[in-house]
Amino acid sequence: KHRNIAIELVLSDQTQDLLRRDADIAVRMVRPKQEALVARKIGRIALGLFAHRRYLERHGTPKSLAAVTEHALIGFDKETAVVRALRGMGLTLTRDMFALRCDADLAQLAALRAGYGLGVCQLGIAQRDPELMQVLPGAFRYELDMWLVMHKDLRNIRRMRLLFDHLAARLTDRCGQYTR
């Protein structure tokens, strides 16, 4: 739509510093607190617990959240908001419980697809792969807020505002699909 806009995509779970202009626009799963940033809530992303069909055929499907810890778990190296939310659901996980620890969502997804174990995944992503099976859908579901953020000094630059508005519209559409 706007051919002169160049996109540099940084896929990272680390929060880029928009105040230092490490990035112009960011998608965040937490609301920013800095006053110098403009943020628009896009929606909510639903997460579930998944495993590859082959893994479940070999190891069985856990019947409760407590039984999840008896499986090879794919998870975090550093504590995240999701981990704190799991504690609120009665599932206390520590770093040492994971057979595979990685803070990169894409690496965790690759491990799920490889049949390494059980792990958390966005429903919208997992539903596109028929080999990924949701585990304990009634007992485990968590939603994260999605925010689109940029430095307030950029909102008056036409190309930045156009891109921000375009991303907001497309991501809002996607959020609606992800929470079904």
Side-chain angles (χ1 to χ4, degrees):
K1 194 171 182 180
H2 301 284
R3 293 185 189 107
N4 293 328
I5 293 178
I7 305 288
E8 179 179 338
L9 184 62
V10 178
L11 298 175
S12 172
D13 290 338
Q14 294 189 9
T15 302
Q16 301 297 314
D17 189 342
L18 298 180
L19 298 177
R20 286 189 1 207
R21 305 290 170 90
D22 289 349
D24 293 326
I25 298 174
V27 176
R28 300 260 172 91
M29 300 320 226
V30 294
R31 183 181 191 153
K33 295 178 179 161
Q34 300 94 336
E35 290 182 22
L37 300 179
V38 174
R40 182 181 302 172
K41 185 175 179 182
I42 299 300
R44 294 179 63 80
I45 297 290
L47 306 173
L49 188 62
F50 289 86
H52 193 280
R53 176 190 47 77
R54 285 188 320 266
Y55 176 87
L56 295 175
E57 288 171 357
R58 285 192 314 267
H59 302 282
T61 302
K63 304 294 183 211
S64 68
L65 281 178
V68 164
T69 59
E70 298 168 13
H71 287 265
L73 299 177
I74 301 164
F76 65 92
D77 185 39
K78 298 177 185 103
E79 187 171 299
T80 64
V82 173
V83 174
R84 290 185 291 278
L86 294 176
R87 285 191 191 115
M89 296 169 64
L91 184 61
T92 302
L93 298 173
T94 64
R95 177 183 187 280
D96 297 331
M97 296 169 120
F98 295 110
L100 175 67
R101 291 185 289 269
C102 179
D103 291 325
D105 292 338
L106 290 175
Q108 289 181 11
L109 178 59
L112 273 175
R113 287 181 170 153
Y116 193 86
L118 306 177
V120 174
C121 185
Q122 293 180 16
L123 267 58
I125 292 171
Q127 289 169 350
R128 285 184 250 145
D129 187 335
E131 297 296 305
L132 292 181
M133 313 305 288
Q134 192 168 8
V135 177
L136 302 169
F140 181 94
R141 182 181 165 115
Y142 180 72
E143 291 187 358
L144 289 173
D145 289 338
M146 178 188 278
W147 295 85
L148 191 62
V149 186
M150 74 176 172
H151 195 284
K152 68 179 181 181
D153 290 349
L154 298 177
R155 68 180 160 196
N156 295 323
I157 298 173
R158 185 174 186 271
R159 64 186 164 90
M160 295 305 299
R161 188 65 198 191
L162 287 170
L163 183 56
F164 187 90
D165 291 343
H166 175 78
L167 289 171
R170 297 294 79 76
L171 289 171
T172 299
D173 292 345
R174 282 297 207 194
C175 274
Q177 294 172 2
Y178 287 166
T179 56
R180 290 183 189 148

